[in-house]
Amino acid sequence: MKTGEDDHPAPAPMEGRGAYNRNSRVQAAGLAAAIPLFEKAARNCTLSDSSDPVVIADYGASEGRNSLAPIAAAIAILRQRIGTEREISIVHTDLPDSDFSALFRTLVGDPDSYLCGGENIYPSAVGRSFYEQILPSNSVTLGWSSWAVQWLSRMPARIPDQVHVSSSQDAVAHAAFAAQADYDWRMFLNQRSRELRVGGRLVVLTMALTWSGDFGYHAVLRALYGGLQDLAFKGEITAEELSRMVIPTVGRSRSDLIAPFGLGNRFADLAVEHAEVFLEADRIWQQYETDRDSKAYGARWAAFSRASVFPTLALALEPADDPSRVQNFIASAEAHMAARLAAAPEPCDIPLAKLVLAKLAT
Ligand SMILES: C[S@@+](CC[C@H](N)C(=O)[O-])C[C@H]1O[C@@H](n2cnc3c(N)ncnc32)[C@H](O)[C@@H]1O
């Protein structure tokens, strides 16, 4: 990414080669709270009388491991309604550069795959941004999206004093991120509405803001930014590169999420059936309380950050396409972050939102 050439770059996908699958236990634990809602959606969605395949779409699947449980749960409910003969199509979607090979290997090789023992189930994938329409109109019966829509379509602004907007004191950055978050959420809803069949359901789990507007992850974000400052101090990255490093994610409050629907509870022919913000337990902290291993505590949060946000931070390197520089940066940033966390373990708040949206008749 070059300044001036593209000052609003899109985020990079998660770290590939199975790294996201191996380092996304926090996400796996958090999304479990939305699985009962997805099961209920599978029970309540309208199914056509035809023999057409039933389509389940998974938006922002990454390498797929965390999609296995929710998709298997929905299939189990659908099978009670349509029997075992009717075909089910599962479409996993992500950004074009996501590691789809790892996804397909997971689907065929993971013992927890929904393909194990299931008949007439056909997985496929789409490599396009979910801020566009990416599936045919009126084709999706059930949609699932976990830990994905917090990623904005692009970096709305630089953050002069931090790497994540939630820790920043900069009013201009806050305004730019809030405007982009609102625009992107409406865009996401519009596109999903086009794809959903009438009576279909979309379940979304995403990073959120608490009732008091807190994004959480304080210790993690402090260690992340501190680690990047260490790298700049040691000359491993330049001040200009550090200033371009931004995580283009946001937490949305419950009111942010339901705002487009207004008093009539309708936006783009979608209605909110459920919208709830909750605090997920910090499993990494819980593990630390059991084993008192501060190094492991630091390493776990650093690995979580590495797999999900370091590839996007590496876009700020100049040049960004030098593989050895990117690898050195990622390894060094992870080590500095882990050391900072290990020096002062602390629990994190993990605010999440879970929503169910129903497609209405026009
Ligand atoms: C943190 S991962 C979540 C993966 C998985 N759903 C889970 O719950 O663990 C977020 C995923 O969203 C994808 N993503 C981000 N922005 C996207 C976009 N505009 N279109 C499609 N996928 C996107 C990322 O590439 C990444 O794979």
Side-chain angles (χ1 to χ4, degrees):
M1 186 254 299
K2 288 193 174 67
T3 316
E5 208 177 272
D6 184 0
D7 232 1
H8 301 281
M14 307 295 97
E15 190 178 12
R17 297 169 185 258
Y20 182 78
N21 274 350
R22 287 190 299 277
N23 294 302
S24 52
R25 302 284 162 180
V26 171
Q27 291 91 329
L31 68 82
I35 293 178
L37 293 177
F38 201 38
E39 291 175 317
K40 190 171 171 196
R43 220 169 276 124
N44 293 344
C45 64
T46 307
L47 296 169
S48 72
D49 290 334
S50 76
S51 58
D52 291 351
V54 177
V55 176
I56 304 179
D58 172 22
Y59 298 101
S62 190
E63 296 176 327
R65 190 165 195 293
N66 287 348
S67 302
L68 301 180
I71 300 293
I75 290 172
I77 302 289
L78 287 178
R79 283 296 178 223
Q80 293 168 12
R81 297 183 62 194
I82 57 175
T84 52
E85 294 304 308
R86 182 127 170 227
E87 293 171 332
I88 299 181
S89 160
I90 314 289
V91 190
H92 299 280
T93 83
D94 210 289
L95 293 170
D97 290 333
S98 187
D99 190 346
F100 287 102
S101 301
L103 166 80
F104 286 116
R105 279 197 294 272
T106 300
L107 296 182
V108 295
D110 193 298
D112 295 328
S113 173
Y114 57 76
L115 289 178
C116 295
E119 297 288 317
N120 301 318
I121 300 169
Y122 298 94
S124 59
V126 170
R128 281 177 77 187
S129 168
F130 52 47
Y131 292 116
E132 301 167 46
Q133 182 175 351
I134 53 177
L135 288 166
S137 303
N138 309 311
S139 66
V140 176
T141 293
L142 281 175
W144 168 267
S145 183
S146 57
W147 292 89
V149 298
Q150 71 267 5
W151 284 94
L152 300 176
S153 58
R154 58 176 208 150
M155 181 180 101
R158 290 199 193 189
I159 306 174
D161 55 344
Q162 275 295 338
V163 73
H164 194 269
V165 72
S166 64
S167 320
S168 172
Q169 301 297 317
D170 189 77
V172 175
H174 273 281
F177 272 73
Q180 189 73 47
D182 184 57
Y183 179 87
D184 282 350
W185 177 232
R186 288 167 194 265
M187 184 62 81
F188 180 83
L189 294 172
N190 264 311
Q191 308 299 10
R192 299 302 75 76
S193 175
R194 294 198 171 105
E195 296 163 358
L196 275 173
R197 302 169 63 97
V198 171
R201 299 288 191 282
L202 171 67
V203 173
V204 175
L205 177 118
T206 184
M207 289 171 131
L209 298 179
T210 63
W211 305 266
S212 59
D214 184 17
F215 178 72
Y217 304 92
H218 296 291
V220 173
L221 290 171
R222 219 172 29 242
L224 174 47
Y225 191 57
L228 295 175
Q229 287 178 308
D230 293 341
L231 264 53
F233 184 73
K234 290 166 74 181
E236 292 182 34
I237 57 174
T238 66
E240 168 64 16
E241 288 170 333
L242 176 60
S243 78
R244 285 203 298 260
M245 288 186 181
V246 166
I247 304 173
T249 62
V250 288
R252 294 182 177 91
S253 67
R254 186 179 180 279
S255 358
D256 293 337
L257 290 163
I258 63 173
F261 299 87
L263 288 178
N265 188 21
R266 190 173 184 124
F267 177 77
D269 295 331
L270 294 174
V272 180
E273 285 194 337
H274 186 101
E276 179 187 349
V277 167
F278 64 101
L279 276 184
E280 171 59 15
D282 177 350
R283 316 279 167 148
I284 295 179
W285 173 257
Q286 287 175 343
Q287 199 154 351
Y288 170 70
E289 284 198 306
T290 308
D291 61 22
R292 288 286 158 194
D293 184 343
S294 55
K295 261 182 100 172
Y297 160 87
R300 288 192 185 104
W301 271 123
F304 160 92
S305 307
R306 171 186 173 138
S308 50
V309 301
F310 284 14
T312 292
L313 298 181
L315 295 175
L317 297 177
E318 184 67 57
D321 53 2
D322 172 349
S324 68
R325 175 126 203 267
V326 168
Q327 280 318 307
N328 289 342
F329 160 72
I330 287 181
S332 190
E334 182 182 19
H336 280 84
M337 183 181 177
R340 281 175 168 265
L341 284 159
E346 185 180 307
C348 280
D349 279 341
I350 303 180
L352 291 171
K354 48 185 179 178
L355 288 102
V356 183
L357 308 170
K359 171 81 181 273
L360 309 169
T362 33

